[in-house]
Amino acid sequence: MLMLISISGCSKNETNPILEVEEEILEEDDEEIVLENQYVLPNIDLNHWKVTLPIGNPTEVLPPEILDYAKNETLKPFMYNDSINGALVFYTYPGASTANSSYSRTELRELLNPEDSGKTNWTFAQGGIMKGTLSMDDISKDSDGDYHRAIIMQIHGRLTDEQRDLIGEDDNNAPPMLKIYWTNGYVRVKTKVLKDLNASSTEILYTDAWGDDEGYTFDEFVGFNKFALEVKVSEGKMEVILNENESVVYDDIHVEKWGVFENYFKAGNYLVSLDNDSYSKVKYYELEITH
């Protein structure tokens, strides 16, 4: 009896090698659980988006290739995950630009029907809602020490093929009805206004028939913090909402006249600078469109 006790018992100062191994396994498992919990993906479905990059002529990536952006060597430098904060990062700098712009972008363009590459769009009468949660992650400053600007959301107009042919244009481009900027930590909205309210139904199709309004800047300072934007469109009306708290509504004759155009949503990082060393990084945590 005494021998059995001396063999199976152990003093307070002794350690049990089996328990030590079990503790090490638990510690490794706990570490794996923590790492898994830290890995968060952005809540964004890219099946109905294509992206334009500041390279090439410029380069565009459509579904299904855009769905594997994390493995796409072309996209990796410009569109990648921040898996710690659960965001999709859009990085851009002055480079290749589209035919109707001087500035470069890493920006998503809505595709109602991914198979036709953007020929199917929507009117204000059909309506739509775009919701996004985002933040300005990093942006350069100009020679005066002020931050450069970036467009983070848009509603862009588009001519139908019939309208294009009617006015003799060589593409379907129409003006952007809505531009939402990040400007020195504030969210600023710019829209289009018809220069001549008596213009005919054909005359209003020309890009130079439209000018810029004075703009509206939300009171809330967002800085580099996360914020929510919602754009709601219906017949003759457009509303932009910041953080479900502050809203600006457009329901005037200009929006009514705009009803002749087709439209599509855009979201991402459109840098408004040609400075050689300028850049911007915009993070999107959530992005959703409904029609």
Side-chain angles (χ1 to χ4, degrees):
M1 178 68 69
L2 291 174
M3 287 180 63
L4 287 172
I5 291 173
S6 64
I7 292 173
S8 60
C10 57
S11 69
K12 293 180 180 179
N13 296 325
E14 291 176 349
T15 59
N16 190 322
I18 296 176
L19 288 178
E20 283 185 343
V21 171
E22 288 177 350
E23 286 175 0
E24 287 178 6
I25 293 172
L26 286 173
E27 287 176 1
E28 289 177 2
D29 289 343
D30 288 344
E31 186 176 347
E32 288 179 4
I33 291 171
V34 170
L35 290 174
E36 287 178 1
N37 289 339
Q38 287 179 342
Y39 189 83
V40 184
L41 293 177
N43 184 21
I44 300 174
D45 181 359
L46 294 170
N47 278 289
H48 288 272
W49 296 97
K50 70 175 179 178
V51 66
T52 302
L53 304 176
I55 56 175
N57 199 29
T59 298
E60 292 185 340
V61 181
L62 291 79
E65 288 78 15
I66 193 175
L67 304 180
D68 292 324
Y69 64 90
K71 299 178 182 179
N72 188 303
E73 294 300 323
T74 301
L75 286 174
K76 277 182 180 181
F78 306 103
M79 182 175 160
Y80 52 88
N81 285 329
D82 172 358
S83 56
I84 300 299
N85 295 298
L88 182 56
V89 183
F90 296 90
Y91 167 68
T92 199
Y93 55 78
S97 61
T98 57
N100 300 290
S101 173
S102 301
Y103 302 113
S104 301
R105 68 192 82 193
T106 302
E107 185 183 38
L108 297 173
R109 193 271 201 207
E110 178 191 15
L111 298 175
L112 277 183
N113 179 7
E115 294 183 1
D116 66 18
S117 302
K119 291 183 179 180
T120 303
N121 300 282
W122 49 269
T123 64
F124 271 45
Q126 294 169 315
I129 298 173
M130 176 165 59
K131 294 181 179 180
T133 304
L134 62 152
S135 66
M136 177 60 70
D137 182 53
D138 192 13
I139 191 166
S140 52
K141 294 182 178 181
D142 61 23
S143 57
D144 295 325
D146 296 321
Y147 288 112
H148 288 112
R149 296 185 300 155
I151 299 171
I152 50 181
M153 280 187 178
Q154 293 192 74
I155 294 176
H156 210 291
R158 185 181 187 276
L159 296 169
T160 64
D161 290 346
E162 293 76 17
Q163 290 171 335
R164 176 200 63 200
D165 296 341
L166 177 63
I167 62 174
E169 289 291 344
D170 56 3
D171 61 30
N172 297 85
N173 184 68
M177 181 52 174
L178 174 71
K179 290 183 179 180
I180 305 179
Y181 293 80
W182 185 94
T183 305
N184 284 320
Y186 288 91
V187 176
R188 181 165 172 77
V189 181
K190 293 282 290 181
T191 67
K192 292 295 181 184
V193 291
L194 191 59
K195 296 176 183 177
D196 179 8
L197 293 178
N198 295 315
S200 69
S201 58
T202 300
E203 290 171 336
I204 67 176
L205 298 177
Y206 290 94
T207 297
D208 59 8
W210 297 85
D212 294 325
D213 74 344
E214 295 181 354
Y216 175 85
T217 302
F218 284 100
D219 291 334
E220 182 178 351
F221 179 76
V222 299
F224 291 87
N225 298 319
K226 187 188 298 186
F227 60 94
L229 278 176
E230 182 175 3
V231 179
K232 301 170 69 175
V233 175
S234 57
E235 187 166 11
K237 184 178 179 180
M238 180 172 63
E239 182 178 13
V240 182
I241 306 166
L242 174 62
N243 284 332
E244 299 183 347
N245 181 51
E246 191 177 353
S247 169
V248 57
V249 176
Y250 301 88
D251 56 359
D252 53 25
I253 186 63
H254 304 286
V255 179
E256 181 182 334
K257 293 281 189 179
W258 185 264
V260 300
F261 292 108
E262 291 185 343
N263 306 273
Y264 50 88
F265 286 120
K266 304 192 81 177
N269 181 4
Y270 182 2
L271 177 63
V272 188
S273 172
L274 295 176
D275 293 352
N276 290 331
D277 58 349
S278 60
Y279 66 89
S280 54
K281 294 180 182 179
V282 176
K283 288 183 177 179
Y284 264 84
Y285 307 85
E286 297 179 352
L287 182 62
E288 179 185 9
I289 286 178
T290 55
H291 288 288

